[in-house]
Amino acid sequence: MAKLRLVHRCTDCGASHPKWAGRCPACQAWNSLVEEIEGPDDIATLAAGMALIPAGVPRPIGEVAAEGALPVRTGISELDRVMGGGFVPGSVTLLGGEPGIGKSTLLLQLLAAWDGPTLYVTAEESAHQVQRRAQRLGAIRDGLWLHAETSLPHIIAAIDETKPELVVIDSIQTVHDPATAALPGSVGQVRGCAQRLVVEAKDRNVAIVLVGHVTKDGGLAGPRVLEHVVDTVLQFEGDRHHALRLLRASKHRFGPTNELGLFEMGHDGLAGVPDPSTLFLADRRAGIAGSAVVPTMEGHRPIVVEVQALTTAGVPGVPSRRSAQGLDSGRLSMLMAVIGRRAKMAIGDQDVYASTAGGVKLTEPGLDLGVCLAVVSAITDQPLPADLAVFGEVGLGGELRQVAHAVRRITEAGRLGFRRVVVPANSPDGDGSVRMLRAGTLAEAVALSGLNR
Ligand code: TYD
Ligand code: MG
C-alpha cells in the first residue's frame, strides 16, 4: 500500500512542497503554505479525472459529434447571459463571492426557476434555514429537493436517489470525503471533493454548481486549484451596502467570459436589471462640474455610466493623491500625466479623486476620455453640457483612439436622451440620432466639450 506523507500545500496555487517556507516557491505568495497529509487517493482522483476523456480515434474536426454540449436555459436571463445561454449538462461551475453577497439566494432562485428536478445540498446552513429562505423567495416547488449533508458519498447517493438535472452544493469548502486522507477543510480535501464531483457530474450528465468562499483580496479561498478543475468560474460581486450585484465569468469552457449580469437585491431576493443605464444615471444631477457620461461596453451590452471627479489642492511637499473607485488606479495616474503634458493643464499638485457612480467596477478603455473630461471639468469648475456623452481611448501622446462597438454606444446614449457625443476622430458614423463631435486629440475634445482652459 502506498504511504501517506506530510507535504506543505500552498493555499493559493495548490502546489505541494516537501519543506515549509515563508514564501511559496511555485507562485511566490507569502505565508500561504499549510501542512497536509497527502495520500494515494489524491493520485487516484487525478487518474479518475483523466479517465473522463474516453480514448478514441483521430477524426476530422468537422465530423466530431457535438451532442450533449448545448446549454440549457435557466429562466433567469441575467444568468443565462453570463453562462452563454445556460448550463451545459455534465458541467461543473464554481460560484465565488464574499460571505453575505447573495450566492445562496441566487442559487436557490436558480433551482426554483429550473424546469425539471433539482437538488440543493446545504453543507453550511440547516435544512430549516434554507427552507425558510425558500419560503421568502417563493422558491417552494415540486421537484426541488433539499438535503443537509456534508459527506460526499452521501451527497452522491442523494443525487442518484433524486435524479436531478441541476445540483447546487453550498459550499464546496464544507464538504468532505472520508475516503480522502487529507484533513477536513484542507486544500487537498476540497480539491479531492471537487475532482470527484467533476467525475460524477460527467458520469450522470448532471450540471453541478459549487459555492466557493473568497478571501479578502477576491481570490477563491485556499483552492485556487479548483479553478483548473471546474469548467466555469463565476464571480458574484457588489458592495454589501448597495443593492447592486454583478455576476461575471472569469473562466468559461463553453462561451465568452466578458458578459456582465446585473441583479438588484430586494426583499424578495435577486431581480435582474434589464436596463442598467437608466439605473446608473438615476441619481445624476446635470450641471455639476466634475461629471462626464460615458457609454461603455460590457461584453455585448452597452451601459451608460457617470464618471465623477473631484480635485483639491494637495499638501505642499506631500506627493499628490490619485484615488480611483470602480476604475483602474494605474490608468488614472497615466491619464493625469497625459492631461498635464499633452493638454497642458497644471494638475501636478492637485489631489484627484475619480469614481464610477453606482459602485460598478469598469476597466474598459472607452472610459479614458470620460475620466479625463471629468477631471478637466472639475479643475476648471465648469460643468459639461447636460446632453453630452463622451467615449474613447486616450493614448500617451494625447491622441484619441477608436474603441469597439462605437455605433452601439452612440445608439444607447441616444436612447437615454443624449444629443451630442464626443468621439475619436476616426469612429464610424452613428445612427443619426445623435450629433457626433469628432476629436483627434484630448485637447480638441476639451474644446469641443465647451470647456475653457
Ligand atoms: P446569502 O444568499 O445568504 O449570501 P451568501 O450565500 O453569499 O453568503 O444572502 C445574504 C444576504 O442577502 C443577507 O444579508 C440578507 C440579504 N437578502 C435580502 O436582502 N433579501 C432576500 O430576499 C434574501 C433572501 C437575502
Ligand atoms: Mg450562503
Side-chain angles (χ1 to χ4, degrees):
M1 196 185 118
K3 271 202 277 182
L4 303 182
R5 60 188 179 122
L6 183 72
V7 297
H8 296 88
R9 174 88 57 197
C10 174
T11 54
D12 243 24
C13 71
S16 76
H17 309 286
K19 279 197 191 140
W20 189 85
R23 191 174 195 185
C24 172
C27 73
Q28 314 297 323
W30 288 100
N31 297 323
S32 63
L33 297 194
V34 292
E35 281 187 2
E36 204 182 286
I37 313 275
E38 190 171 69
D41 40 57
D42 281 338
I43 296 146
T45 32
L46 264 181
M50 285 171 191
L52 277 180
I53 303 170
V57 287
R59 266 186 284 173
I61 193 163
E63 291 172 18
V64 177
E67 78 270 10
L70 289 178
V72 181
R73 296 181 70 82
T74 67
I76 299 178
S77 58
E78 293 297 304
L79 190 53
D80 286 339
R81 177 198 299 279
V82 177
M83 291 297 293
F87 284 84
V88 173
S91 69
V92 176
T93 302
L94 179 66
L95 175 67
E98 282 180 21
I101 205 71
K103 301 181 292 298
S104 304
T105 306
L106 177 68
L107 295 176
L108 204 49
Q109 288 183 253
L110 163 64
L111 295 196
W114 190 264
D115 193 14
T118 54
L119 172 67
Y120 188 101
V121 177
T122 170
E124 264 175 26
E125 296 171 288
S126 70
H128 186 64
Q129 282 173 314
V130 176
Q131 193 220 25
R132 273 187 31 206
R133 178 181 297 137
Q135 265 164 352
R136 259 182 69 189
L137 296 171
I140 308 277
R141 69 160 180 102
D142 287 345
L144 168 47
W145 296 84
L146 177 59
H147 190 37
E149 183 59 70
T150 57
S151 158
L152 190 63
H154 292 173
I155 292 171
I156 292 166
I159 295 176
D160 286 336
E161 197 189 316
T162 56
K163 302 209 170 11
E165 293 167 10
L166 184 61
V167 179
V168 166
I169 297 178
D170 191 356
S171 69
I172 186 65
Q173 277 117 329
T174 44
V175 168
H176 68 95
D177 185 358
T180 299
L183 297 172
S186 68
V187 183
Q189 182 67 250
V190 171
R191 196 192 41 178
C193 288
Q195 274 168 341
R196 175 121 185 246
L197 283 164
V198 168
V199 176
E200 308 293 346
K202 301 269 187 294
D203 236 20
R204 292 165 176 74
N205 211 28
V206 52
I208 299 184
V209 185
L210 309 174
V211 173
H213 298 295
V214 298
T215 51
K216 283 177 267 61
D217 59 6
L220 284 165
R224 281 305 283 281
V225 273
L226 279 192
E227 298 182 7
H228 306 295
V229 175
V230 299
D231 299 300
T232 303
V233 180
L234 300 178
Q235 309 281 356
F236 204 33
E237 303 163 355
D239 181 343
R240 267 208 278 166
H241 304 291
H242 284 96
L244 191 70
R245 300 284 180 274
L246 293 85
L247 185 70
R248 293 179 205 266
S250 56
K251 166 184 175 178
H252 193 27
R253 282 202 178 129
F254 311 107
T257 54
N258 57 359
E259 294 297 335
L260 173 69
L262 284 165
F263 296 90
E264 250 185 311
M265 178 68 92
H267 289 298
D268 41 8
L270 291 154
V273 179
D275 184 5
S277 300
T278 303
L279 177 79
F280 288 136
L281 293 182
D283 296 329
R284 173 173 169 257
R285 290 173 59 207
I288 292 189
S291 156
V293 171
V294 184
T296 64
M297 289 300 292
E298 283 292 326
H300 285 89
R301 167 152 69 171
I303 300 181
V304 178
V305 296
E306 181 187 4
V307 177
Q308 292 186 315
L310 183 69
T311 58
T312 58
V315 180
V318 177
S320 47
R321 288 191 59 159
R322 304 281 183 254
S323 164
Q325 260 183 39
L327 298 162
D328 183 66
S329 57
R331 192 87 193 162
L332 176 65
S333 299
M334 181 216 112
L335 293 173
M336 294 311 98
V338 175
I339 292 176
R341 286 295 302 274
R342 306 293 181 187
K344 302 270 187 284
M345 299 194 63
I347 56 161
D349 55 348
Q350 298 269 319
D351 287 344
V352 177
Y353 303 86
S355 71
T356 53
V360 60
K361 279 194 205 120
L362 301 164
T363 51
E364 194 253 324
L367 278 164
D368 286 356
L369 184 58
V371 174
C372 290
L373 291 181
V375 169
V376 172
S377 160
I379 297 172
T380 59
D381 203 20
Q382 304 166 81
L384 289 164
D387 67 346
L388 184 83
V390 306
F391 66 85
E393 182 177 351
V394 176
L396 283 175
E399 79 281 11
L400 296 193
R401 295 167 173 266
Q402 285 187 66
V403 288
H405 305 297
V407 177
R408 301 181 70 166
R409 295 172 196 255
I410 295 165
T411 306
E412 178 72 354
R415 184 180 75 82
L416 291 158
F418 293 91
R419 297 277 70 95
R420 293 180 284 169
V421 55
V422 180
V423 298
N426 296 325
S427 300
D429 282 334
D431 62 1
S433 66
V434 178
R435 215 175 118 212
M436 311 232 330
L437 307 175
R438 297 172 182 278
T441 63
L442 178 57
E444 280 172 40
V446 169
L448 278 173
S449 307
L451 300 176
N452 298 312
R453 284 188 283 160

